[in-house]
Amino acid sequence: MSTPSSLWQGPVADGPDFTRNLGAMLAGGRSARPTLFEFYHNVPLIRRIAGDRPGEPDYVREIRAWAALGYDHANLGARNGFCFKAGDRHRDRSISLNEGAVISDRDSCERYPWPQVEALDWSYLDIAAAALVPGQVLMASGPGGVLENVISLVGFERLCELISDDPDLVQHIVDRVGSCLLAYYQRVAPHPGVGLLMSNDDWGFKTQTMLSPRQMRRFVFPWHERIVAAGHAAGKPVVLHSCGNLSPVMDDVIDGLKYNGKHSYEDGITPVEEAFSRWGSRIAILGGIDVDYLCRSPIAEVHRRTAALVAAADGRWAAGTGNSVPEWVPQESFLALIDAGVGGRPRVRHAA
Amino acid sequence: MVDLSPLRDAIIDGNAKMAKALTDQALKEGTDPQSIVTTYLIPAMDEVGRRFECNEYFVPELLIAARAMKGSMELIRPLLVKGGVQPIATVAIGTVKGDLHDIGKNLVASMLEGGGFTVVDLGVDVAPEKFVASVQEKGVNIICLSALLTTTMPAMKDTIAALNSAGLRGKVKVMIGGAPVIQRYSDEIGADGYSDNASSAVQLARKLAAAA
Ligand code: B12
């Protein structure tokens, strides 16, 4: 499995300790030791780290891999089918131009099979919690966020038209999606295995937010505010994963919505070092080593950049990628990030 | 010629109904269709593009303005065709193989249409051969490639190679764009131009069309 030259030297020896590390950072303090943050890892990487145990649910294997890599948390999306199903998309035509969209008016909105959160089976949470090692917590993430799901149900171009033609209908659809997501987070937040929530909703692209900041404040943010409040009511911090250029709304994220942490950064938008100096004293900056950079840079350079920010941030940054670890990220480059990110914490060496 | 600045404003505000009504009225009053396009519609979309570039306008405003422009063009185009007026150029646009992101591509397509180009939208996950076929079958002069993923950027290079192999590279200009694309990459793969947003894409296409 692991090659002799590999940076994968085996699991970190000191186990997770959410409360003193990532949790402390999200509470506005400093992590007691260098720690990590991620959204998700690809399956071959998870398999390499955690191996395969027959009969084990994939999310349990993931939880083992997160602990071995040195995280204080493990991401867990809904594993009971909670999602907003959109229609099929045909690849030979434009997909966002209403294709795959299933809601176009009030009727189709009423007919849509909205998920019945309370009727779903939540036992996966207990199974996942039982797989945690001491000090490790689950991060409950959503099946996409408020804006993402509205876009996939309505179609982006159509949504833009409706905002101008029938804003009340837009509000109605947003409220349906938002109330389902809020019910989900209210359901998972109090679970003893859940240590934090992630509200994952891509808001932007290279230069802007997908909707104008004014439209974001009107339609999208009120539901985010409620989701954050649901986490806080259960005593759990809440982090935002959102791609794109959010500079014009970062004050809303921090002061209005009251998120504890922000994830997703791109060098072409705001390099994580810049994000850290702009917002790092007001919100925990999580991950941020650009995915494209990670794919293209020499391993030693990835290590150097990560180690430099770990040192500069002094417990106010959790090392990780700018987005996630899809399959095409070279494993050794990612492991270099991890190695620098855990700041030399000792490892349990692999048996040969 | 009557003052049609309310038409220009209707496009900028994305008021499709008003834009259509004003266009209809102007045409009925005998205004030259070509001059409506060049004096009001294209400058209106240029202004929309300018506002987008300086973050005064956001994607929804851009799309709504493009829709208003299209509505007016539907009334005007048949008259232009009848009068033998040629479009600036025919553009084939698509998101490259392996890539499904199309919001940016659609926006570029709308702005090009608004800018007076004929646009053939090839959709997403478009193989190099399809771009080649568009040149052979549809008389395309400019190819626009969009890629949003590091892993799909090489498909831009492959498409240029396919145009070369088909002996068509000299006949078409290739423009590229998308979140991870930069000018240096465009130079590296021998594309004719790169632009980082839908509004400057129109300026670039005009430049390339003029040079063709
Ligand atoms: C929305 C989105 C999605 C949606 C796409 C919906 C759709 N119908 O398009 C969904 C959810 C489906 C998606 C899926 C994925 N995505 Co995505 N996605 C985005 C996001 C948030 C916004 C893209 C967007 O629509 N922008 C809005 C438009 C207006 O901007 P634009 O596309 O950049 O276009 C502008 C310019 O670039 C330019 N332009 C665009 N094309 C062209 C062409 C020419 C010729 C010219 C001149 C100009 C030009 O003009 C446009 C307007 O000004 C970006 C984040 C980002 N920074 O871009 C990630 C992003 C592109 N996605 C990413 C990833 C990793 C993925 C997935 C692999 C995720 C996953 N693990 O499943 C999949 C891949 C699916 C696939 N095979 O394509 C990464 C790519 C990283 C990398 N460098 O490789 C990004 C950058 C996110 C990040 N923070 O890392 N995604």
PDB file of all heavy atoms in Angstrom, chain A residues 40 204-205 243 266 323 328, chain B residues 52 98-104 145-146 150 175-178 195-198, ligand 1:
ATOM      1  N   TYR A  40     -14.429  17.244   1.886  1.00  0.00           N
ATOM      2  CA  TYR A  40     -14.449  15.789   1.656  1.00  0.00           C
ATOM      3  C   TYR A  40     -13.222  15.329   0.872  1.00  0.00           C
ATOM      4  O   TYR A  40     -12.538  16.121   0.220  1.00  0.00           O
ATOM      5  CB  TYR A  40     -15.725  15.336   0.947  1.00  0.00           C
ATOM      6  CG  TYR A  40     -15.927  15.909  -0.425  1.00  0.00           C
ATOM      7  CD1 TYR A  40     -15.323  15.317  -1.537  1.00  0.00           C
ATOM      8  CD2 TYR A  40     -16.725  17.028  -0.625  1.00  0.00           C
ATOM      9  CE1 TYR A  40     -15.499  15.839  -2.801  1.00  0.00           C
ATOM     10  CE2 TYR A  40     -16.911  17.565  -1.879  1.00  0.00           C
ATOM     11  CZ  TYR A  40     -16.292  16.964  -2.958  1.00  0.00           C
ATOM     12  OH  TYR A  40     -16.464  17.490  -4.207  1.00  0.00           O
ATOM     13  N   GLY A 204     -20.816  32.070  -5.141  1.00  0.00           N
ATOM     14  CA  GLY A 204     -20.194  32.991  -6.081  1.00  0.00           C
ATOM     15  C   GLY A 204     -19.294  32.357  -7.103  1.00  0.00           C
ATOM     16  O   GLY A 204     -19.160  31.134  -7.170  1.00  0.00           O
ATOM     17  N   PHE A 205     -18.682  33.190  -7.915  1.00  0.00           N
ATOM     18  CA  PHE A 205     -17.688  32.756  -8.880  1.00  0.00           C
ATOM     19  C   PHE A 205     -16.537  33.744  -8.825  1.00  0.00           C
ATOM     20  O   PHE A 205     -16.377  34.465  -7.836  1.00  0.00           O
ATOM     21  CB  PHE A 205     -18.304  32.571 -10.268  1.00  0.00           C
ATOM     22  CG  PHE A 205     -18.926  33.805 -10.849  1.00  0.00           C
ATOM     23  CD1 PHE A 205     -18.287  34.505 -11.851  1.00  0.00           C
ATOM     24  CD2 PHE A 205     -20.132  34.280 -10.372  1.00  0.00           C
ATOM     25  CE1 PHE A 205     -18.855  35.650 -12.375  1.00  0.00           C
ATOM     26  CE2 PHE A 205     -20.704  35.427 -10.894  1.00  0.00           C
ATOM     27  CZ  PHE A 205     -20.061  36.121 -11.906  1.00  0.00           C
ATOM     28  N   CYS A 243     -18.119  28.722  -2.241  1.00  0.00           N
ATOM     29  CA  CYS A 243     -17.106  29.054  -3.242  1.00  0.00           C
ATOM     30  C   CYS A 243     -17.383  30.442  -3.810  1.00  0.00           C
ATOM     31  O   CYS A 243     -18.501  30.938  -3.751  1.00  0.00           O
ATOM     32  CB  CYS A 243     -17.163  28.078  -4.414  1.00  0.00           C
ATOM     33  SG  CYS A 243     -16.810  26.402  -3.942  1.00  0.00           S
ATOM     34  N   GLU A 266      -9.916  30.455  -3.264  1.00  0.00           N
ATOM     35  CA  GLU A 266      -9.203  30.215  -4.513  1.00  0.00           C
ATOM     36  C   GLU A 266      -8.151  31.301  -4.692  1.00  0.00           C
ATOM     37  O   GLU A 266      -8.430  32.481  -4.443  1.00  0.00           O
ATOM     38  CB  GLU A 266     -10.174  30.281  -5.695  1.00  0.00           C
ATOM     39  CG  GLU A 266     -10.985  29.020  -5.905  1.00  0.00           C
ATOM     40  CD  GLU A 266     -11.961  29.200  -7.054  1.00  0.00           C
ATOM     41  OE1 GLU A 266     -11.512  29.261  -8.205  1.00  0.00           O
ATOM     42  OE2 GLU A 266     -13.169  29.313  -6.780  1.00  0.00           O
ATOM     43  N   ASN A 323     -11.053  23.667  -1.439  1.00  0.00           N
ATOM     44  CA  ASN A 323     -12.402  23.220  -1.742  1.00  0.00           C
ATOM     45  C   ASN A 323     -12.682  21.825  -1.218  1.00  0.00           C
ATOM     46  O   ASN A 323     -13.561  21.600  -0.387  1.00  0.00           O
ATOM     47  CB  ASN A 323     -12.627  23.299  -3.258  1.00  0.00           C
ATOM     48  CG  ASN A 323     -14.022  22.905  -3.672  1.00  0.00           C
ATOM     49  OD1 ASN A 323     -14.269  21.734  -3.936  1.00  0.00           O
ATOM     50  ND2 ASN A 323     -14.938  23.856  -3.698  1.00  0.00           N
ATOM     51  N   TRP A 328      -8.488  13.826  -8.755  1.00  0.00           N
ATOM     52  CA  TRP A 328      -7.356  14.238  -9.582  1.00  0.00           C
ATOM     53  C   TRP A 328      -6.287  15.010  -8.812  1.00  0.00           C
ATOM     54  O   TRP A 328      -5.255  15.355  -9.355  1.00  0.00           O
ATOM     55  CB  TRP A 328      -7.833  15.013 -10.804  1.00  0.00           C
ATOM     56  CG  TRP A 328      -8.497  16.322 -10.506  1.00  0.00           C
ATOM     57  CD1 TRP A 328      -7.877  17.492 -10.174  1.00  0.00           C
ATOM     58  CD2 TRP A 328      -9.893  16.618 -10.541  1.00  0.00           C
ATOM     59  NE1 TRP A 328      -8.797  18.492 -10.000  1.00  0.00           N
ATOM     60  CE2 TRP A 328     -10.048  17.981 -10.224  1.00  0.00           C
ATOM     61  CE3 TRP A 328     -11.037  15.857 -10.809  1.00  0.00           C
ATOM     62  CZ2 TRP A 328     -11.288  18.600 -10.158  1.00  0.00           C
ATOM     63  CZ3 TRP A 328     -12.273  16.475 -10.753  1.00  0.00           C
ATOM     64  CH2 TRP A 328     -12.394  17.825 -10.426  1.00  0.00           C
TER      65      TRP A 328
ATOM     66  N   PHE B  52     -21.310  45.440 -15.508  1.00  0.00           N
ATOM     67  CA  PHE B  52     -20.994  44.106 -14.990  1.00  0.00           C
ATOM     68  C   PHE B  52     -19.515  44.036 -14.611  1.00  0.00           C
ATOM     69  O   PHE B  52     -19.160  43.546 -13.544  1.00  0.00           O
ATOM     70  CB  PHE B  52     -21.330  43.060 -16.058  1.00  0.00           C
ATOM     71  CG  PHE B  52     -20.982  41.641 -15.690  1.00  0.00           C
ATOM     72  CD1 PHE B  52     -21.613  40.999 -14.624  1.00  0.00           C
ATOM     73  CD2 PHE B  52     -20.043  40.931 -16.419  1.00  0.00           C
ATOM     74  CE1 PHE B  52     -21.298  39.690 -14.294  1.00  0.00           C
ATOM     75  CE2 PHE B  52     -19.723  39.618 -16.102  1.00  0.00           C
ATOM     76  CZ  PHE B  52     -20.355  39.005 -15.040  1.00  0.00           C
ATOM     77  N   GLY B  98     -15.805  16.614 -20.758  1.00  0.00           N
ATOM     78  CA  GLY B  98     -15.608  16.259 -19.360  1.00  0.00           C
ATOM     79  C   GLY B  98     -16.104  17.317 -18.389  1.00  0.00           C
ATOM     80  O   GLY B  98     -16.144  17.101 -17.187  1.00  0.00           O
ATOM     81  N   ASP B  99     -16.520  18.449 -18.922  1.00  0.00           N
ATOM     82  CA  ASP B  99     -16.900  19.573 -18.065  1.00  0.00           C
ATOM     83  C   ASP B  99     -18.381  19.910 -18.245  1.00  0.00           C
ATOM     84  O   ASP B  99     -18.859  20.013 -19.376  1.00  0.00           O
ATOM     85  CB  ASP B  99     -16.042  20.792 -18.442  1.00  0.00           C
ATOM     86  CG  ASP B  99     -15.926  21.787 -17.312  1.00  0.00           C
ATOM     87  OD1 ASP B  99     -16.923  21.999 -16.610  1.00  0.00           O
ATOM     88  OD2 ASP B  99     -14.824  22.347 -17.135  1.00  0.00           O
ATOM     89  N   LEU B 100     -19.080  20.060 -17.110  1.00  0.00           N
ATOM     90  CA  LEU B 100     -20.527  20.299 -17.196  1.00  0.00           C
ATOM     91  C   LEU B 100     -20.924  21.716 -16.792  1.00  0.00           C
ATOM     92  O   LEU B 100     -22.099  22.057 -16.766  1.00  0.00           O
ATOM     93  CB  LEU B 100     -21.265  19.298 -16.287  1.00  0.00           C
ATOM     94  CG  LEU B 100     -20.977  17.820 -16.583  1.00  0.00           C
ATOM     95  CD1 LEU B 100     -21.710  16.931 -15.585  1.00  0.00           C
ATOM     96  CD2 LEU B 100     -21.399  17.471 -17.997  1.00  0.00           C
ATOM     97  N   HIS B 101     -19.949  22.534 -16.448  1.00  0.00           N
ATOM     98  CA  HIS B 101     -20.285  23.900 -16.017  1.00  0.00           C
ATOM     99  C   HIS B 101     -20.751  24.711 -17.226  1.00  0.00           C
ATOM    100  O   HIS B 101     -20.019  24.819 -18.203  1.00  0.00           O
ATOM    101  CB  HIS B 101     -19.062  24.583 -15.422  1.00  0.00           C
ATOM    102  CG  HIS B 101     -18.597  23.968 -14.139  1.00  0.00           C
ATOM    103  ND1 HIS B 101     -17.775  22.880 -14.099  1.00  0.00           N
ATOM    104  CD2 HIS B 101     -18.848  24.304 -12.851  1.00  0.00           C
ATOM    105  CE1 HIS B 101     -17.526  22.574 -12.831  1.00  0.00           C
ATOM    106  NE2 HIS B 101     -18.167  23.420 -12.048  1.00  0.00           N
ATOM    107  N   ASP B 102     -21.912  25.319 -17.134  1.00  0.00           N
ATOM    108  CA  ASP B 102     -22.367  26.044 -18.328  1.00  0.00           C
ATOM    109  C   ASP B 102     -22.928  27.429 -18.066  1.00  0.00           C
ATOM    110  O   ASP B 102     -23.359  28.106 -18.983  1.00  0.00           O
ATOM    111  CB  ASP B 102     -23.387  25.211 -19.103  1.00  0.00           C
ATOM    112  CG  ASP B 102     -24.705  25.086 -18.378  1.00  0.00           C
ATOM    113  OD1 ASP B 102     -24.770  25.441 -17.183  1.00  0.00           O
ATOM    114  OD2 ASP B 102     -25.668  24.622 -18.990  1.00  0.00           O
ATOM    115  N   ILE B 103     -22.929  27.855 -16.804  1.00  0.00           N
ATOM    116  CA  ILE B 103     -23.544  29.159 -16.532  1.00  0.00           C
ATOM    117  C   ILE B 103     -22.741  30.268 -17.218  1.00  0.00           C
ATOM    118  O   ILE B 103     -23.299  31.127 -17.905  1.00  0.00           O
ATOM    119  CB  ILE B 103     -23.660  29.398 -15.008  1.00  0.00           C
ATOM    120  CG1 ILE B 103     -24.638  28.367 -14.423  1.00  0.00           C
ATOM    121  CG2 ILE B 103     -24.120  30.815 -14.712  1.00  0.00           C
ATOM    122  CD1 ILE B 103     -24.713  28.365 -12.912  1.00  0.00           C
ATOM    123  N   GLY B 104     -21.425  30.196 -17.082  1.00  0.00           N
ATOM    124  CA  GLY B 104     -20.562  31.203 -17.705  1.00  0.00           C
ATOM    125  C   GLY B 104     -20.633  31.133 -19.217  1.00  0.00           C
ATOM    126  O   GLY B 104     -20.712  32.161 -19.903  1.00  0.00           O
ATOM    127  N   LEU B 145     -14.279  28.301 -26.342  1.00  0.00           N
ATOM    128  CA  LEU B 145     -14.176  27.139 -25.465  1.00  0.00           C
ATOM    129  C   LEU B 145     -14.238  27.596 -24.014  1.00  0.00           C
ATOM    130  O   LEU B 145     -13.517  28.503 -23.610  1.00  0.00           O
ATOM    131  CB  LEU B 145     -12.848  26.425 -25.701  1.00  0.00           C
ATOM    132  CG  LEU B 145     -12.528  25.994 -27.140  1.00  0.00           C
ATOM    133  CD1 LEU B 145     -11.112  25.434 -27.219  1.00  0.00           C
ATOM    134  CD2 LEU B 145     -13.542  24.951 -27.602  1.00  0.00           C
ATOM    135  N   SER B 146     -15.094  26.932 -23.230  1.00  0.00           N
ATOM    136  CA  SER B 146     -15.197  27.255 -21.819  1.00  0.00           C
ATOM    137  C   SER B 146     -14.776  26.034 -21.005  1.00  0.00           C
ATOM    138  O   SER B 146     -15.164  24.907 -21.326  1.00  0.00           O
ATOM    139  CB  SER B 146     -16.651  27.642 -21.494  1.00  0.00           C
ATOM    140  OG  SER B 146     -16.771  27.997 -20.143  1.00  0.00           O
ATOM    141  N   THR B 150      -9.546  22.307 -13.678  1.00  0.00           N
ATOM    142  CA  THR B 150      -8.143  22.088 -14.024  1.00  0.00           C
ATOM    143  C   THR B 150      -8.011  20.867 -14.927  1.00  0.00           C
ATOM    144  O   THR B 150      -7.253  20.876 -15.885  1.00  0.00           O
ATOM    145  CB  THR B 150      -7.324  21.864 -12.733  1.00  0.00           C
ATOM    146  OG1 THR B 150      -7.446  23.031 -11.943  1.00  0.00           O
ATOM    147  CG2 THR B 150      -5.876  21.613 -13.038  1.00  0.00           C
ATOM    148  N   MET B 175     -11.202  31.292 -29.087  1.00  0.00           N
ATOM    149  CA  MET B 175     -11.168  32.074 -27.845  1.00  0.00           C
ATOM    150  C   MET B 175     -11.424  31.145 -26.681  1.00  0.00           C
ATOM    151  O   MET B 175     -12.252  30.242 -26.796  1.00  0.00           O
ATOM    152  CB  MET B 175     -12.321  33.087 -27.825  1.00  0.00           C
ATOM    153  CG  MET B 175     -12.159  34.232 -28.747  1.00  0.00           C
ATOM    154  SD  MET B 175     -13.701  35.156 -28.926  1.00  0.00           S
ATOM    155  CE  MET B 175     -14.218  35.486 -27.258  1.00  0.00           C
ATOM    156  N   ILE B 176     -10.734  31.366 -25.579  1.00  0.00           N
ATOM    157  CA  ILE B 176     -10.974  30.495 -24.433  1.00  0.00           C
ATOM    158  C   ILE B 176     -11.273  31.303 -23.175  1.00  0.00           C
ATOM    159  O   ILE B 176     -10.948  32.486 -23.082  1.00  0.00           O
ATOM    160  CB  ILE B 176      -9.786  29.539 -24.187  1.00  0.00           C
ATOM    161  CG1 ILE B 176      -8.527  30.309 -23.774  1.00  0.00           C
ATOM    162  CG2 ILE B 176      -9.489  28.685 -25.424  1.00  0.00           C
ATOM    163  CD1 ILE B 176      -7.408  29.383 -23.303  1.00  0.00           C
ATOM    164  N   GLY B 177     -11.929  30.631 -22.208  1.00  0.00           N
ATOM    165  CA  GLY B 177     -12.236  31.282 -20.942  1.00  0.00           C
ATOM    166  C   GLY B 177     -12.762  30.294 -19.925  1.00  0.00           C
ATOM    167  O   GLY B 177     -12.890  29.105 -20.212  1.00  0.00           O
ATOM    168  N   GLY B 178     -13.068  30.791 -18.724  1.00  0.00           N
ATOM    169  CA  GLY B 178     -13.526  29.947 -17.618  1.00  0.00           C
ATOM    170  C   GLY B 178     -12.669  30.206 -16.397  1.00  0.00           C
ATOM    171  O   GLY B 178     -11.540  30.674 -16.528  1.00  0.00           O
ATOM    172  N   SER B 195     -10.409  35.837 -22.423  1.00  0.00           N
ATOM    173  CA  SER B 195     -10.954  36.964 -21.697  1.00  0.00           C
ATOM    174  C   SER B 195     -11.597  36.435 -20.434  1.00  0.00           C
ATOM    175  O   SER B 195     -12.051  35.288 -20.394  1.00  0.00           O
ATOM    176  CB  SER B 195     -11.924  37.738 -22.583  1.00  0.00           C
ATOM    177  OG  SER B 195     -13.202  37.684 -22.040  1.00  0.00           O
ATOM    178  N   ASP B 196     -11.601  37.241 -19.380  1.00  0.00           N
ATOM    179  CA  ASP B 196     -12.049  36.696 -18.104  1.00  0.00           C
ATOM    180  C   ASP B 196     -13.495  37.027 -17.782  1.00  0.00           C
ATOM    181  O   ASP B 196     -13.979  36.701 -16.715  1.00  0.00           O
ATOM    182  CB  ASP B 196     -11.105  37.128 -16.970  1.00  0.00           C
ATOM    183  CG  ASP B 196     -11.296  38.582 -16.589  1.00  0.00           C
ATOM    184  OD1 ASP B 196     -12.002  39.300 -17.320  1.00  0.00           O
ATOM    185  OD2 ASP B 196     -10.736  39.008 -15.560  1.00  0.00           O
ATOM    186  N   ASN B 197     -14.205  37.676 -18.709  1.00  0.00           N
ATOM    187  CA  ASN B 197     -15.624  37.864 -18.447  1.00  0.00           C
ATOM    188  C   ASN B 197     -16.418  38.019 -19.738  1.00  0.00           C
ATOM    189  O   ASN B 197     -15.851  38.209 -20.820  1.00  0.00           O
ATOM    190  CB  ASN B 197     -15.868  39.036 -17.491  1.00  0.00           C
ATOM    191  CG  ASN B 197     -15.549  40.359 -18.130  1.00  0.00           C
ATOM    192  OD1 ASN B 197     -16.259  40.805 -19.033  1.00  0.00           O
ATOM    193  ND2 ASN B 197     -14.466  40.980 -17.700  1.00  0.00           N
ATOM    194  N   ALA B 198     -17.746  37.917 -19.603  1.00  0.00           N
ATOM    195  CA  ALA B 198     -18.620  37.828 -20.765  1.00  0.00           C
ATOM    196  C   ALA B 198     -18.638  39.127 -21.570  1.00  0.00           C
ATOM    197  O   ALA B 198     -18.851  39.114 -22.780  1.00  0.00           O
ATOM    198  CB  ALA B 198     -20.036  37.480 -20.312  1.00  0.00           C
TER     199      ALA B 198
HETATM  200  C1  B12 C   1     -21.799  26.517  -9.983  1.00  0.00           C
HETATM  201  C2  B12 C   1     -20.613  25.563  -9.882  1.00  0.00           C
HETATM  202  C3  B12 C   1     -20.868  24.204 -10.101  1.00  0.00           C
HETATM  203  C4  B12 C   1     -22.230  23.686 -10.566  1.00  0.00           C
HETATM  204  C5  B12 C   1     -22.351  23.903 -12.087  1.00  0.00           C
HETATM  205  C6  B12 C   1     -23.770  24.235 -12.541  1.00  0.00           C
HETATM  206  C7  B12 C   1     -23.781  24.577 -13.984  1.00  0.00           C
HETATM  207  N1  B12 C   1     -24.862  24.244 -14.623  1.00  0.00           N
HETATM  208  O1  B12 C   1     -22.861  25.134 -14.554  1.00  0.00           O
HETATM  209  C8  B12 C   1     -22.117  22.160 -10.184  1.00  0.00           C
HETATM  210  C9  B12 C   1     -22.658  21.982  -8.779  1.00  0.00           C
HETATM  211  C10 B12 C   1     -22.829  21.190 -11.120  1.00  0.00           C
HETATM  212  C11 B12 C   1     -20.601  21.977 -10.138  1.00  0.00           C
HETATM  213  C12 B12 C   1     -19.976  20.748 -10.246  1.00  0.00           C
HETATM  214  C13 B12 C   1     -18.614  20.553 -10.058  1.00  0.00           C
HETATM  215  N2  B12 C   1     -17.704  21.513  -9.711  1.00  0.00           N
HETATM  216 CO1  B12 C   1     -18.060  23.397  -9.723  1.00  0.00          CO
HETATM  217  N3  B12 C   1     -18.254  25.226  -9.448  1.00  0.00           N
HETATM  218  C14 B12 C   1     -19.292  26.023  -9.561  1.00  0.00           C
HETATM  219  C15 B12 C   1     -18.876  27.464  -9.164  1.00  0.00           C
HETATM  220  C16 B12 C   1     -19.309  27.692  -7.715  1.00  0.00           C
HETATM  221  C17 B12 C   1     -19.399  28.597 -10.016  1.00  0.00           C
HETATM  222  C18 B12 C   1     -19.217  28.425 -11.527  1.00  0.00           C
HETATM  223  C19 B12 C   1     -20.134  29.404 -12.231  1.00  0.00           C
HETATM  224  O2  B12 C   1     -21.202  29.047 -12.685  1.00  0.00           O
HETATM  225  N4  B12 C   1     -19.768  30.684 -12.269  1.00  0.00           N
HETATM  226  C20 B12 C   1     -20.576  31.730 -12.818  1.00  0.00           C
HETATM  227  C21 B12 C   1     -20.098  32.110 -14.209  1.00  0.00           C
HETATM  228  C22 B12 C   1     -20.846  33.364 -14.643  1.00  0.00           C
HETATM  229  O3  B12 C   1     -18.709  32.368 -14.155  1.00  0.00           O
HETATM  230  P1  B12 C   1     -17.643  31.581 -15.062  1.00  0.00           P
HETATM  231  O4  B12 C   1     -18.116  30.236 -15.362  1.00  0.00           O
HETATM  232  O5  B12 C   1     -16.296  31.747 -14.463  1.00  0.00           O
HETATM  233  O6  B12 C   1     -17.709  32.384 -16.427  1.00  0.00           O
HETATM  234  C23 B12 C   1     -17.276  33.715 -16.564  1.00  0.00           C
HETATM  235  C24 B12 C   1     -15.827  33.818 -17.054  1.00  0.00           C
HETATM  236  O7  B12 C   1     -14.995  32.760 -16.602  1.00  0.00           O
HETATM  237  C25 B12 C   1     -15.940  33.927 -18.527  1.00  0.00           C
HETATM  238  N5  B12 C   1     -15.993  32.717 -19.349  1.00  0.00           N
HETATM  239  C26 B12 C   1     -16.511  31.499 -19.114  1.00  0.00           C
HETATM  240  N6  B12 C   1     -16.424  30.710 -20.169  1.00  0.00           N
HETATM  241  C27 B12 C   1     -15.839  31.401 -21.144  1.00  0.00           C
HETATM  242  C28 B12 C   1     -15.498  31.079 -22.453  1.00  0.00           C
HETATM  243  C29 B12 C   1     -14.877  32.013 -23.259  1.00  0.00           C
HETATM  244  C30 B12 C   1     -14.522  31.665 -24.648  1.00  0.00           C
HETATM  245  C31 B12 C   1     -14.577  33.306 -22.740  1.00  0.00           C
HETATM  246  C32 B12 C   1     -13.893  34.286 -23.589  1.00  0.00           C
HETATM  247  C33 B12 C   1     -14.928  33.637 -21.429  1.00  0.00           C
HETATM  248  C34 B12 C   1     -15.549  32.697 -20.638  1.00  0.00           C
HETATM  249  O8  B12 C   1     -17.157  34.637 -18.697  1.00  0.00           O
HETATM  250  C35 B12 C   1     -18.098  34.274 -17.696  1.00  0.00           C
HETATM  251  C36 B12 C   1     -18.949  35.463 -17.337  1.00  0.00           C
HETATM  252  O9  B12 C   1     -18.240  36.618 -16.967  1.00  0.00           O
HETATM  253  C37 B12 C   1     -17.304  27.368  -9.312  1.00  0.00           C
HETATM  254  C38 B12 C   1     -16.524  28.370  -8.462  1.00  0.00           C
HETATM  255  C39 B12 C   1     -15.771  29.338  -9.334  1.00  0.00           C
HETATM  256  N7  B12 C   1     -14.824  29.974  -8.749  1.00  0.00           N
HETATM  257  O10 B12 C   1     -16.032  29.481 -10.496  1.00  0.00           O
HETATM  258  C40 B12 C   1     -17.048  25.888  -8.946  1.00  0.00           C
HETATM  259  C41 B12 C   1     -15.805  25.198  -9.496  1.00  0.00           C
HETATM  260  C42 B12 C   1     -15.568  25.574 -10.938  1.00  0.00           C
HETATM  261  N8  B12 C   1     -16.198  23.778  -9.414  1.00  0.00           N
HETATM  262  C43 B12 C   1     -15.236  23.007  -9.021  1.00  0.00           C
HETATM  263  C44 B12 C   1     -15.362  21.598  -8.857  1.00  0.00           C
HETATM  264  C45 B12 C   1     -14.157  20.885  -8.241  1.00  0.00           C
HETATM  265  C46 B12 C   1     -16.541  20.920  -9.270  1.00  0.00           C
HETATM  266  C47 B12 C   1     -16.786  19.401  -9.194  1.00  0.00           C
HETATM  267  C48 B12 C   1     -15.638  18.503  -9.578  1.00  0.00           C
HETATM  268  C49 B12 C   1     -17.274  19.151  -7.773  1.00  0.00           C
HETATM  269  C50 B12 C   1     -17.370  17.726  -7.389  1.00  0.00           C
HETATM  270  N9  B12 C   1     -16.385  17.332  -6.596  1.00  0.00           N
HETATM  271  O11 B12 C   1     -18.289  17.079  -7.796  1.00  0.00           O
HETATM  272  C51 B12 C   1     -17.997  19.204 -10.161  1.00  0.00           C
HETATM  273  C52 B12 C   1     -17.560  18.877 -11.596  1.00  0.00           C
HETATM  274  C53 B12 C   1     -18.686  18.583 -12.543  1.00  0.00           C
HETATM  275  C54 B12 C   1     -18.175  18.543 -13.958  1.00  0.00           C
HETATM  276  N10 B12 C   1     -17.759  17.396 -14.471  1.00  0.00           N
HETATM  277  O12 B12 C   1     -18.126  19.574 -14.609  1.00  0.00           O
HETATM  278  C55 B12 C   1     -13.952  23.794  -8.755  1.00  0.00           C
HETATM  279  C56 B12 C   1     -12.894  23.596  -9.843  1.00  0.00           C
HETATM  280  C57 B12 C   1     -11.480  23.522  -9.268  1.00  0.00           C
HETATM  281  C58 B12 C   1     -10.494  23.293 -10.362  1.00  0.00           C
HETATM  282  N11 B12 C   1      -9.700  24.324 -10.642  1.00  0.00           N
HETATM  283  O13 B12 C   1     -10.465  22.262 -10.952  1.00  0.00           O
HETATM  284  C59 B12 C   1     -14.479  25.267  -8.620  1.00  0.00           C
HETATM  285  C60 B12 C   1     -13.510  26.367  -9.067  1.00  0.00           C
HETATM  286  C61 B12 C   1     -14.805  25.446  -7.130  1.00  0.00           C
HETATM  287  C62 B12 C   1     -13.573  25.610  -6.232  1.00  0.00           C
HETATM  288  N12 B12 C   1     -13.648  26.504  -5.277  1.00  0.00           N
HETATM  289  O14 B12 C   1     -12.581  24.927  -6.292  1.00  0.00           O
HETATM  290  N13 B12 C   1     -19.960  23.175  -9.967  1.00  0.00           N
END
